[in-house]
Amino acid sequence: MWASLSGLADTAARAWRRPDQGLWEIRGEGRPFTYSVGLCQVALDRAARIAERYGLPGDVGSWRRDADRLSELILEQSWDEDAQTLSVYMDGGGVLDASLLNLPLRQVLPVDHPRMVATTRAVAERLSAGGGLLFRYLHDEHPDGLPGDEGAFVLCSFWMVDNLIGQGRLDEAEELYDSLCSRASPLGLLSEQIDPTTGVFMGNAPQAFSHIGTIASGVNLERARSASR
């Protein structure tokens, strides 16, 4: 197993430079997505941690240096000074995608880093669908190659809850969390997306991603509350 995992780390050290279609599998020409670089950073960081913890062979020093460098590159290259936010692409541009909220959740960036705090604010403002719901991106800014519009993506709002928790904004996080849970069906189920105008479920229903968000954010919120007591 370690031979396979360490090989994946070596692959991540090269693959982050390759254009791809990002988390949402955009139909179009590949671009250098910030999220994809972030996940390569995760692969390198975790491989280094595993090797160090269990005394396993591998180029641990190189993995650690590459992981640290990728975090630095995201902060440097993805940042758009005019828009005051990290961008969906590594070459900047200020285009937003809610996947950026994942970076601190995967420990790619500190959740309280000023540029991450600014990005959280930008996502809340520019990707808001109203009522605490978030679009994963805006079609006019971030074409995905598919016709039509879509609803608010439920999991993205739970990522926002986790960012608010990490930034010490517990009351806001709890209010948002409760509002999201109140949208569940009489059976306690959530869909993939919600029509922000009508509240009607859209996309896959039930959707495991949405329920994972419910559980993870609930646990994080309770831990934060307990720590503050």
Side-chain angles (χ1 to χ4, degrees):
M1 181 184 293
W2 178 241
S4 297
L5 291 176
S6 60
L8 289 174
D10 291 333
T11 298
R14 302 185 300 271
W16 69 267
R17 297 179 177 86
R18 301 175 192 160
D20 73 330
Q21 275 64 41
L23 173 62
W24 311 120
E25 301 173 345
I26 302 302
R27 277 72 166 175
E29 185 179 357
R31 296 282 300 273
F33 280 83
T34 301
Y35 178 85
S36 300
V37 175
L39 267 288
C40 287
Q41 190 276 348
V42 170
L44 289 159
D45 174 77
R46 302 312 190 268
R49 293 192 195 188
I50 292 171
E52 290 167 349
R53 177 175 295 183
Y54 297 107
L56 296 169
D59 195 354
V60 178
S62 180
W63 294 340
R64 173 61 57 211
R65 287 190 299 273
D66 286 345
D68 292 343
R69 180 56 180 156
L70 289 186
S71 294
E72 294 171 1
L73 284 175
I74 289 173
L75 287 172
E76 294 169 4
Q77 297 183 7
S78 176
W79 177 254
D80 187 281
E81 185 65 25
D82 293 335
Q84 285 292 294
T85 182
L86 297 172
S87 308
V88 63
Y89 304 120
M90 282 296 289
D91 51 4
V95 176
L96 276 178
D97 179 327
S99 67
L100 296 168
L101 296 175
N102 243 303
L103 298 178
L105 308 187
R106 305 289 173 260
Q107 301 177 37
V108 178
L109 301 177
V111 68
D112 57 353
H113 189 284
R115 293 194 169 181
M116 194 63 234
V117 173
T119 300
T120 303
R121 182 167 55 250
V123 169
E125 294 173 355
R126 291 170 49 190
L127 298 185
S128 173
L133 297 174
L134 293 172
F135 294 113
R136 49 183 176 171
Y137 48 79
L138 300 179
H139 285 243
D140 57 344
E141 293 184 1
H142 186 19
D144 58 10
L146 295 174
D149 296 321
E150 62 178 32
F153 207 85
V154 177
L155 179 58
C156 297
S157 292
F158 285 112
W159 291 341
M160 178 62 74
V161 171
D162 292 334
N163 276 263
L164 294 174
I165 293 170
Q167 294 168 17
R169 299 159 64 181
L170 297 188
D171 290 343
E172 294 174 66
E174 187 165 3
E175 181 179 358
L176 176 55
Y177 182 79
D178 289 344
S179 74
L180 295 171
C181 291
S182 71
R183 293 180 180 274
S185 74
L187 295 177
L189 300 176
L190 286 166
S191 60
E192 177 185 34
Q193 301 176 31
I194 293 176
D195 186 317
T197 303
T198 64
V200 171
F201 284 1
M202 299 173 62
N204 297 321
Q207 171 57 267
F209 289 152
S210 302
H211 297 108
I212 289 171
T214 307
I215 296 167
S217 296
V219 169
N220 290 335
L221 190 57
E222 177 57 28
R223 285 175 175 170
R225 284 295 189 195
S226 298
S228 65
R229 294 187 183 115

